Amino acid sequence: MFDWTKDPHRRFNPLTREWVLVSPHRTLRPWQGQVEEEAVAVQPEYDANCYLCPGNARAGGVRNPAYSATFVFDNDFAALKPGTPVDRYDRDGLFLAESEPGLCRVVCFSPRHNLTMANMEPADLRKVVDTWVEQYLELGERPEINYVQIFENRGAMMGASNPHPHCQIWSSHALPNEVFKEQESLLGWREQRGTCLLCEYARLELAGGERVVEENAAFLTVVPFWAVWPFETMVIARRHISSIEQLTGEERDALADILKRTTARYDRLFNVSFPYSLGFHQRPTDGTPHDEHHLHLHFYPPLLRSATVRKFLVGYEMLATPQRDITAEWAAARLRAV
Ligand code: H2U
Ligand code: ZN
């Protein structure tokens, strides 16, 4: 048997059925590449130039109301539009295109410009969870919408346009690639073994504990065995539920709690407001039960070894297979230690 703390090896992601190359012996190599600028310093509670702050005008000229909790609006530069007619173009399977109706929204978490999930009050974060549930239901009920993707880009390094706490929701007719891959794997697993892949995975992670970073009564946060990003984590519902509207009131509080604790841990790791992309994966809203899905979230943070040194997915990773140096176990231990 090889030693996965030292020997180069591959790990399998059963959710996407893709492999990641792990090269733990490389962690000591010197870094002379790009160093990112330190993130901008302290933000004000209100910024007159922010297009998300209450009362301010957005790029299209619409003025935000004087909102006091969460605030949702249709994205002024939406990637998807609801009226798009459903149609398909196929020429020999080589020129294949489908029109894509959809709707994009922006959700402000709080009127306060300088908050993040890590430093919001649990009761206020709970309101964000409630807003996600409302939006999932409202958008999902639309006949042209079959999937509701809730995601957050946090920090300039991840392309977020604004530090004001917010997330986006892109809801679409088609099932997005990542969700499609996961759905195929979850279905395949269930057919072969009669169980839920993520129920089994969560059970094993909780029993071993090596990669568990946070847990509460309803959720656990783990660095997945097959993580690609250095400090990637997954937040997994303990109970087999397929989407957020199935959460009980207590579980909604628990989701707010685990998100706050996980992001606070990230911030403490390199002493910086930690950048990441975060998103839910849950069942499609196409009118069928899809109880093969198991509610979870993915955190994909780019940072590798400090607030300024990030990981790039380039070269071998673009052309062959993603690769990491530090092991998932080591990353989880680092996150648990802060
Ligand atoms: P980020 O999550 O990457 O920060 O994006 C914020 C979204 O806000 C982005 O999709 C939208 C952009 O289109 N936006 C508006 O809808 N109105 C504005 O006035 C500026 C930005
Ligand atoms: Zn603002």
Side-chain angles (χ1 to χ4, degrees), residues 30 35 53 68 263 278 305 317:
V35 172
C53 273
S68 58
T263 51
L278 164 69
R305 62 176 77 186
E317 299 165 311

Side-chain angles (χ1 to χ4, degrees), residues 9 24 27 35 49 82 86 88-89 100 145 153 155 170 185 205 243 247 254 258 274 290 306 332 335-336:
H9 60 282
T27 43
V35 172
N49 295 315
V86 181
R88 195 163 199 268
Y89 176 88
E100 181 71 323
I145 300 299
N153 290 322
W170 292 21
S185 307
E205 288 291 18
S243 45
L247 293 171
I258 200 130
F274 209 75
H290 280 293
S306 72
L335 282 168
R336 275 198 305 270

Side-chain angles (χ1 to χ4, degrees), residues 47 50 52-53 111 113 162 164:
D47 178 352
C50 168
L52 297 179
C53 273
H113 184 79
N162 188 324
H164 196 112

